């Protein structure tokens, strides 16, 4: 696969999960006792060769940060790539939380533009399945 980076939205559909996401983000919801929902998305990306991954957070993301531990479990604790967590603000100069996905992407556009990767895979964190992004990429091209 050509150089591809991944962007994961950690806080999607929280208004539909009410009590489950009062103290944690959707991405850090437990799954089968041992895993968190974000584990599936991270594993799918890493297994497809994506080693630069940005995670856009919105609220209640402390448990997510504790779980990720800078990506060690996915071999993403690297100096030149790995996991980058983005705060829930639309712009660094502002303290307004982004309004939607497009606003969040605009807030990290500097990160996307200043990397060598030609393509970006956007994904939610609430997908509990195996996805071969190599195949998805080939079909897209």
């Amino acid at each position: 696969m050509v150089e591809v980076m991944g962007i994961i939205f950690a806080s999607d559909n929280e208004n539909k999960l009410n009590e489950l996401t009062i103290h944690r983000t959707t991405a850090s919801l437990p799954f089968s006792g041992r895993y968190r929902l974000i584990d599936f998305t991270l594993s799918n990306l890493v297994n497809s060769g994506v080693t630069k991954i940005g995670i856009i957070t919105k609220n209640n993301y402390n448990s997510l940060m504790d779980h990720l531990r800078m990506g060690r479990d996915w071999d993403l604790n690297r100096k030149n790539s790995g996991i980058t967590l983005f705060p829930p603000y639309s712009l660094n100069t502002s303290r307004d939380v982004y309004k939607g996905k497009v606003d969040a992407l605009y807030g990290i556009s500097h990160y996307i533009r200043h990397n060598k990767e030609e393509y970006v895979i956007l994904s939610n964190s609430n997908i509990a399945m195996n996805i071969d992004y190599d195949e998805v990429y080939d079909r897209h091209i």
Side-chain angles (χ1 to χ4, degrees):
M1 183 161 37
V2 178
E3 293 293 321
V4 176
M5 78 168 61
I7 301 290
I8 301 172
F9 295 97
S11 304
D12 197 41
N13 297 320
E14 290 186 348
N15 57 345
K16 297 177 184 172
L17 298 172
N18 298 327
E19 289 81 19
L20 294 174
T21 55
I22 289 173
H23 300 293
R24 64 179 69 226
T25 187
T26 304
S28 62
L29 285 174
F31 187 91
S32 190
R34 181 176 175 190
Y35 303 102
R36 307 295 173 129
L37 283 177
I38 197 166
D39 293 345
F40 292 94
T41 305
L42 285 170
S43 293
N44 289 334
L45 288 168
V46 170
N47 291 338
S48 297
V50 178
T51 59
K52 183 172 286 219
I53 300 170
I55 301 175
I56 299 175
T57 61
K58 192 165 187 179
N59 49 25
N60 300 327
Y61 55 91
N62 286 336
S63 65
L64 177 63
M65 290 180 6
D66 290 342
H67 176 68
L68 292 175
R69 296 180 302 199
M70 296 316 299
R72 193 174 0 193
D73 293 340
W74 300 273
D75 192 29
L76 291 172
N77 53 339
R78 302 168 183 215
K79 193 172 198 171
N80 295 323
S81 57
I83 290 179
T84 303
L85 283 154
F86 294 103
Y89 306 112
S90 59
L91 295 171
N92 289 338
T93 58
S94 171
R95 291 295 170 213
D96 295 330
V97 175
Y98 63 84
K99 306 290 187 275
K101 289 181 178 179
V102 173
D103 197 20
L105 288 171
Y106 178 73
I108 66 162
S109 60
H110 64 284
Y111 172 78
I112 295 170
R113 278 195 310 264
H114 291 98
N115 281 296
K116 65 179 179 175
E117 288 77 15
E118 190 174 350
Y119 294 95
V120 179
I121 294 173
L122 302 176
S123 179
N124 290 331
S125 61
N126 59 353
I127 301 170
M129 65 182 293
N130 289 328
I131 300 172
D132 181 358
Y133 284 116
D134 283 325
E135 187 178 321
V136 172
Y137 171 80
D138 290 341
R139 252 189 209 275
H140 174 73
I141 297 303

